[in-house]
Amino acid sequence: MENPYLDLFSLIKIQVEIGFYLFFIDKKDFLDKCYKLLYTVIEERNTLKIIIKNGSAVPIYEQIKNAIRDEILKGNIKAGEKLPSVRNLARELSISILTVKKAYDELEGEGFIESRQGLGTFVGKEDPNLRLEEKQKKLEEALIEALRISKDIEMKKSDLFELLEYLYEGDFND
């Protein structure tokens, strides 16, 4: 039986070797017909990875915003690096310019990116307070999920605190 991934991986390998690649998996293809995956090269060195789940309850502009914000927070794209233009990203994703613009506007409002008239859109300057706030927000979300689970299994509050203290003091490499 022929491997459906073989041609795809060969295409990626060939295009990576020439240093520039743009690659789509449309919803008609094999990723359970629900994902669109985009890799875009930024300044021929760094890669911006955006995954759009077409059937998601999360609006597409928010998926784009979250993907770009996560790439910035992870350090995959650095302060001052140029992002794809609104038009180019919209064309590559086969979505409305207004959708990308809304994502970019929200990222700019949050301080993650900045638009420079006539030059394009760039990753904003590093703001340690902004990064700290985002990380605290993610921590809160994780703790809320942990609380939901602890209540589901009817864990006592004292046991939860004991577990949290143990984990906090422990080695995460175990």
Side-chain angles (χ1 to χ4, degrees):
M1 182 173 197
E2 189 174 313
N3 184 345
Y5 300 101
L6 185 60
D7 291 335
L8 175 65
F9 293 124
S10 299
L11 175 66
I12 292 170
K13 182 177 183 250
I14 291 167
Q15 291 179 334
V16 168
E17 287 174 358
I18 60 172
F20 179 83
Y21 58 99
L22 175 62
F23 157 61
F24 284 98
I25 299 175
D26 200 356
K27 64 182 180 179
K28 295 176 188 139
D29 289 323
F30 56 86
L31 284 180
D32 295 332
K33 298 183 180 181
C34 65
Y35 292 99
K36 184 181 281 186
L37 179 59
L38 166 74
Y39 293 89
T40 303
V41 172
I42 300 174
E43 293 184 8
E44 298 180 7
R45 292 188 183 230
N46 298 316
T47 302
L48 173 63
K49 180 178 169 184
I50 298 174
I51 300 173
I52 294 177
K53 187 174 180 184
N54 291 322
S56 174
V58 178
I60 292 175
Y61 81 90
E62 200 168 318
Q63 292 180 49
I64 295 168
K65 179 184 86 167
N66 293 340
I68 294 172
R69 185 187 64 225
D70 290 347
E71 292 293 303
I72 292 169
L73 290 173
K74 290 177 189 172
N76 293 340
I77 48 178
K78 308 277 188 235
E81 289 187 42
K82 188 172 183 178
L83 294 171
S85 72
V86 170
R87 289 177 193 224
N88 285 342
L89 189 56
R91 186 175 346 105
E92 291 171 4
L93 289 171
S94 301
I95 59 174
S96 169
I97 290 172
L98 296 175
T99 303
V100 176
K101 182 168 178 5
K102 187 170 184 177
Y104 274 25
D105 286 347
E106 288 198 9
L107 285 166
E108 188 166 15
E110 294 173 9
F112 285 99
I113 64 174
E114 55 188 43
S115 296
R116 299 180 194 154
Q117 189 66 33
L119 296 175
T121 305
F122 297 82
V123 176
K125 294 181 176 74
E126 281 194 47
D127 182 352
N129 294 329
L130 182 64
R131 292 183 189 270
L132 178 62
E133 181 68 28
E134 281 297 314
K135 288 181 180 181
Q136 286 175 341
K137 184 178 169 184
K138 285 188 178 201
L139 174 62
E140 288 172 16
E141 291 169 0
L143 287 172
I144 288 169
E145 181 61 23
L147 286 172
R148 282 189 191 121
I149 294 169
S150 69
K151 287 180 180 183
D152 284 348
I153 63 171
E154 299 176 0
M155 179 181 261
K156 288 192 247 176
K157 188 176 178 181
S158 59
D159 291 341
L160 178 64
F161 285 149
E162 184 180 334
L163 176 61
L164 183 60
E165 187 174 321
Y166 176 78
L167 292 172
Y168 186 81
E169 299 297 328
D171 184 9
F172 292 97
N173 296 322
D174 290 352

